[in-house]
Amino acid sequence: MKVAGHPRRRPTTAVWALVVAAATALLAWVRIGSPARGVAWAEDSGRFLTDRLALGPVRSLWHPYDGYLHVLPRLVVDAAVALGRIDLYALSVSAMSCAVLGGVCGVVFVLSRGVVRAWPLRVLLAAVPALVPLAPVEIAGNAANLHWYLLFAAPWLFAHRPRNWWSSACTTAAVAVVTTSEIQAAVFLPLLLLGPRNRRVLPVAAAAVLGVAAQVTVTLTHPRSATHQGGITSFRDMTAGFLAQVVGGSWDADVRVVGAAVSAHGWWVVAVPGLLLLAAVVTAGVLADRRTRWMILASAVGAGVVWYAALVVNRTTGTTWSAFTAAAWASSAPLRYAAAASMFLTAAVVLAADVFLARVRWPWRAAGGVLLVASVVAFVAGPGAVPRREDGPQWSAEVEQRAPYCAAHPHDSVRIGAMPRIAGWDATVPCAMVEQAVGRSGR
């Protein structure tokens, strides 16, 4: 006998987006590990925190650093300072950075609704930033590298066509944050022209153009410092590095293992998979509908731009990969650009898998299944990433050690250690903040 009543309501897209965001944020937090979560990384201490303490929350927000604006990382640092517990600063930044990563995953889940047909693949695509093997090495869980995750969301935000003014306002705000935090988002500006035109896109386009214009202005008026002294890497070496660090690193985060395989068996061990992935992505782009084709292209271009442009601009030393010996491979380490490029490469593969699985004929579906299985296996079998800051000084312990000195010298400042252990990354913190934190903790 049926009981009359209201039909059961299914969870909305927003609810599922929150679930995806929370799950990926938690996953990123777990993958970073306990020691690394409590260690401050690079700009988080030596630049963003220093600027915040010297300039205040407003002036520091728009303060150029190394030729760019970094609005969202500075907002995260400002929020961590506003908590009033400088002893928990590193932990707070790690937590909020993981939350931002989760937010990006939730946004991609929502905005990929009209592109990815199969919902499991949509979840997988959205979770890519939290799943790629290389992420915990350097870019996950710190404000200094949040811009890579914002860049991952950029093409989806630019290609989105808001259906109402509320959606337009939210997209505009997100685009403003992305473009004022990551200059490379300019690469995806052509996606603003994708799809039907409507008035609700105008604020989004205006925010994108103004944000990129602000970045370009800062780059011209406050050029990057001359700290990058290496020579420009040859195209051959950059391509070899892409195969080893991006293609190989998407399977195994320990690039020394990838290098050992290259040294023992030759470049074919990464070149063949790279060519197969390229063929799959290109084929999927041909078979896909117009919008999906553009998103596949954006993901593939994103992988290349992140890698090649970063090496050219930063003039990274030790990048003669094509001439690496076994000893050179054994001492090599993954670059943060590889993790960012890996996100885009993996996204392109997931999109290609969805295109193939939607075809009627079984050979296409088989190809899609192979891509899907390969992606999942890489996520499960290749997470051997060791965070570079894992062995660094614990921020809270450093603050506690300085507390007796601050009690005796309340108007002085103390230096708090961070990673990497090179000049410029430690922070100078007023003793008043140390005393406030000790008082609040009850010690």
Side-chain angles (χ1 to χ4, degrees):
M1 178 178 174
K2 271 191 175 180
V3 179
H6 294 290
R8 193 173 185 180
R9 296 184 63 182
R10 294 181 178 180
T12 63
T13 299
V15 171
W16 284 119
L18 289 174
V19 171
V20 169
T24 50
L26 180 60
L27 176 60
W29 176 263
V30 171
R31 290 189 67 196
I32 295 167
S34 178
R37 291 193 291 256
V39 179
W41 178 257
E43 285 89 353
D44 291 3
S45 56
R47 176 57 62 178
F48 297 149
L49 177 59
T50 299
D51 288 345
R52 168 61 180 80
L53 297 179
L55 302 175
V58 178
R59 286 178 59 200
S60 65
L61 184 63
W62 299 100
H63 188 66
Y65 164 60
D66 220 5
Y68 308 120
L69 294 173
H70 303 265
V71 169
L72 184 61
R74 291 186 183 277
L75 282 173
V76 167
V77 167
D78 187 49
V81 172
L83 292 175
R85 289 289 302 271
I86 198 63
D87 57 326
L88 301 179
Y89 173 76
L91 206 60
S92 300
V93 170
S94 293
M96 286 186 277
S97 297
C98 288
V100 170
L101 183 155
V104 166
C105 295
V107 165
V108 172
F109 175 79
V110 172
L111 300 186
S112 62
R113 177 171 48 184
V115 176
V116 182
R117 297 169 181 82
W119 72 263
L121 283 178
R122 194 167 143 219
V123 172
L124 187 65
L125 173 70
V128 162
L131 290 172
V132 288
L134 286 167
V137 176
E138 183 170 349
I139 72 170
N142 59 79
N145 287 288
L146 280 180
H147 60 101
W148 298 119
Y149 295 109
L150 299 183
L151 186 63
F152 184 78
W156 297 98
L157 289 166
F158 290 174
H160 178 55
R161 294 297 170 262
R163 297 180 180 179
N164 53 59
W165 285 108
W166 170 248
S167 175
S168 176
C170 292
T171 307
T172 299
V175 165
V177 170
V178 168
T179 53
T180 55
S181 303
E182 174 54 272
I183 191 172
Q184 293 178 94
V187 173
F188 302 114
L189 285 178
L191 292 174
L192 291 167
L193 304 175
L194 181 64
R197 313 290 189 271
N198 64 60
R199 291 180 300 167
R200 292 183 292 274
V201 179
L202 294 178
V204 178
V209 172
L210 290 174
V212 170
Q215 290 281 18
V216 172
T217 301
V218 168
T219 299
L220 295 176
T221 56
H222 298 78
R224 289 168 64 85
S225 60
T227 55
H228 307 288
Q229 301 295 336
I232 295 179
T233 308
S234 69
F235 181 77
R236 178 183 178 183
D237 279 320
M238 287 191 287
T239 302
F242 185 90
L243 292 173
Q245 293 235 349
V246 180
V247 176
S250 295
W251 184 266
D252 193 330
D254 191 345
V255 297
R256 295 172 300 178
V257 174
V258 177
V262 170
S263 181
H265 306 292
W267 279 99
W268 70 268
V269 298
V270 286
V272 170
L275 290 173
L276 290 175
L277 291 179
L278 177 62
V281 169
V282 171
T283 304
V286 173
L287 296 174
D289 59 65
R290 182 170 177 267
R291 183 171 181 183
T292 304
R293 183 180 301 125
W294 275 105
M295 299 315 296
I296 291 173
L297 178 62
S299 298
V301 168
V305 166
V306 164
W307 179 256
Y308 288 91
L311 289 176
V312 171
V313 171
N314 291 286
R315 301 191 173 205
T316 308
T317 57
T319 54
T320 54
W321 287 287
S322 63
F324 266 18
T325 61
W329 283 119
S331 61
S332 64
L335 298 179
R336 59 187 178 277
Y337 324 127
S342 176
M343 288 193 297
F344 282 105
L345 176 64
T346 307
V349 171
V350 174
L351 289 170
D354 183 67
V355 170
F356 292 152
L357 289 170
R359 308 295 290 184
V360 175
R361 296 184 177 180
W362 72 265
W364 294 118
R365 293 191 173 190
V370 169
L371 291 178
L372 176 59
V373 169
S375 298
V376 173
V377 169
F379 292 149
V380 174
V386 178
R388 290 184 59 190
R389 54 184 168 139
E390 186 174 66
D391 296 327
Q394 288 292 310
W395 183 275
S396 59
E398 292 264 306
V399 171
E400 188 173 355
Q401 289 170 11
R402 306 299 188 275
Y405 177 87
C406 284
H409 306 82
H411 302 295
D412 207 345
S413 298
V414 290
R415 186 174 295 275
I416 308 298
M419 285 288 283
R421 301 301 292 156
I422 57 178
W425 294 137
D426 290 351
T428 301
V429 177
C431 276
M433 297 185 73
V434 174
E435 288 291 282
Q436 180 187 20
V438 170
R440 284 183 136 190
S441 67
R443 289 195 294 266

